[in-house]
Amino acid sequence: MSLCEDCIKGVRHEGTSEGKWETINGVESYIGTPSDEYNNSKVLLFLSDAFGPRLSNAQLLVDDFARNGIKTVAPDWFEKDGVPADLFESDEKRKAFDIASWLARHSFTVTRLLLDKVIAGLKDQGVTEFAAVGYCYGGRLVFDLAIENIITVSIGSHPSGLKAPDDLEKYFSISRAPLLLNTCTVDEQFPPSAQSQADAIFGGGKFAPGYKREYFDGCTHGFAVRGDMSNPKIKAGKEGAFGATVEWLYKYGFGQSGQKV
């Protein structure tokens, strides 16, 4: 696993977080709970990018999912050691950041152990069904959970750490979870070649559980969570990816009282 330059770039989004932090089976997690009636047996796992759920951008997205009737849990799988948000400020800070050391501390093996603890803790609370949305780093773990059929609905937004076509073919062969991919024009981690391979493998009705790929022209890796909202194309992409994700979750039974649309 390696991070690209765009994995550690971004813009901090405006807003006030409304969720709360809770410890689930020993792991601190940011939780968005719908204010109206919802199906408490279902949870959306919000699997963050390298900045983690301590970043306000991630918390605002969790809050938005909750506002749309979806109980959402974002585990702090970096244990307060996400990539620091001050890297947004300059190329100098990004160049000085030791990405290799950070990745050594936070391999997928390490974060998966913490994620599994949260899933076990939520099951103890009565949760019986999980969906997952993953951004950048988190996209890899969405695939892993889907391949193991731990989740029933999958969304990957500009996913990182995937090997195409191998991981795509493995997902197709094993998973039963419908898959939505939010993709973009400039993405070193999931480039147009991988996007085309995904369409060839899953598209045309070949993947029975369900498949859709959204494409946001003019957007760059990270747009769905860290994009510059002053850029009209990026703003449209970020909002479009969120809307597509909510619609996908509704379609497959996650929403207010588990509604389907």
Side-chain angles (χ1 to χ4, degrees), residues 132-153:
V133 57
Y135 299 84
C136 305
Y137 182 105
R140 167 74 262 179
L141 277 298
V142 168
F143 265 65
D144 291 343
L145 293 178
I147 287 167
E148 295 174 39
N149 286 300
I150 292 170
I151 56 176
T152 60
V153 186

Side-chain angles (χ1 to χ4, degrees), residues 88-104:
F88 291 167
E89 297 170 8
S90 68
D91 288 335
E92 289 72 23
K93 287 188 176 183
R94 287 189 287 274
K95 289 175 182 177
F97 183 68
D98 189 346
I99 295 176
S101 294
W102 185 87
L103 284 170

Side-chain angles (χ1 to χ4, degrees), residues 170-181:
K170 188 174 183 180
Y171 190 115
F172 180 89
S173 298
I174 298 174
S175 181
R176 298 186 297 273
L179 173 64
L180 169 68
L181 294 173

Side-chain angles (χ1 to χ4, degrees), residues 2-261:
S2 61
L3 298 182
C4 66
E5 184 179 351
D6 289 318
C7 289
I8 56 173
K9 279 184 176 180
V11 174
R12 196 186 292 269
H13 295 164
E14 302 264 335
T16 302
S17 302
E18 299 174 354
K20 62 180 181 177
W21 287 93
E22 293 182 9
T23 299
I24 301 174
N25 199 16
V27 181
E28 290 188 26
S29 303
Y30 184 79
I31 299 176
T33 303
S35 57
D36 296 326
E37 181 183 353
Y38 69 97
N39 186 337
N40 60 12
S41 69
K42 298 185 178 187
V43 159
L44 172 65
L45 298 168
F46 183 100
L47 307 184
S48 72
D49 62 11
F51 291 89
R54 303 275 169 184
L55 181 68
S56 59
N57 298 26
Q59 294 176 16
L60 294 171
L61 280 169
V62 170
D63 295 345
D64 284 341
F65 283 119
R67 205 170 286 117
N68 280 271
I70 303 164
K71 174 72 174 285
T72 307
V73 175
D76 182 11
W77 51 9
F78 303 133
E79 299 182 297
K80 300 182 180 178
D81 186 38
V83 170
D86 64 3
L87 266 61
F88 291 167
E89 297 170 8
S90 68
D91 288 335
E92 289 72 23
K93 287 188 176 183
R94 287 189 287 274
K95 289 175 182 177
F97 183 68
D98 189 346
I99 295 176
S101 294
W102 185 87
L103 284 170
R105 295 194 301 275
H106 302 294
S107 68
F108 289 129
T109 301
V110 171
T111 49
R112 178 60 192 273
L113 289 172
L114 295 169
L115 176 56
D116 286 345
K117 288 182 70 175
V118 170
I119 291 171
L122 289 168
K123 286 181 176 179
D124 287 343
Q125 295 177 15
V127 177
T128 59
E129 189 174 348
F130 297 90
V133 57
Y135 299 84
C136 305
Y137 182 105
R140 167 74 262 179
L141 277 298
V142 168
F143 265 65
D144 291 343
L145 293 178
I147 287 167
E148 295 174 39
N149 286 300
I150 292 170
I151 56 176
T152 60
V153 186
S154 303
I155 305 100
S157 291
H158 39 79
S160 298
L162 297 176
K163 184 178 180 181
D166 298 16
D167 289 322
L168 302 172
E169 291 173 343
K170 188 174 183 180
Y171 190 115
F172 180 89
S173 298
I174 298 174
S175 181
R176 298 186 297 273
L179 173 64
L180 169 68
L181 294 173
N182 290 312
T183 64
C184 60
T185 307
V186 180
D187 192 343
E188 182 179 320
Q189 292 286 336
F190 199 69
S193 59
Q195 297 171 27
S196 296
Q197 286 175 320
D199 290 345
I201 292 167
F202 294 98
K206 290 191 288 292
F207 187 58
Y211 169 73
K212 187 175 185 181
R213 182 173 70 86
E214 297 283 359
Y215 175 77
F216 298 96
D217 183 55
C219 291
T220 301
H221 180 83
F223 75 94
V225 65
R226 291 176 271 107
D228 182 355
M229 298 295 277
S230 68
N231 180 319
K233 280 196 170 183
I234 302 297
K235 184 176 187 292
K238 190 257 187 186
E239 293 174 350
F242 178 80
T245 298
V246 170
E247 286 298 314
W248 196 250
L249 290 164
Y250 281 2
K251 181 177 181 178
Y252 293 101
F254 284 78
Q256 294 180 3
S257 299
Q259 70 189 44
K260 292 191 177 184
V261 296

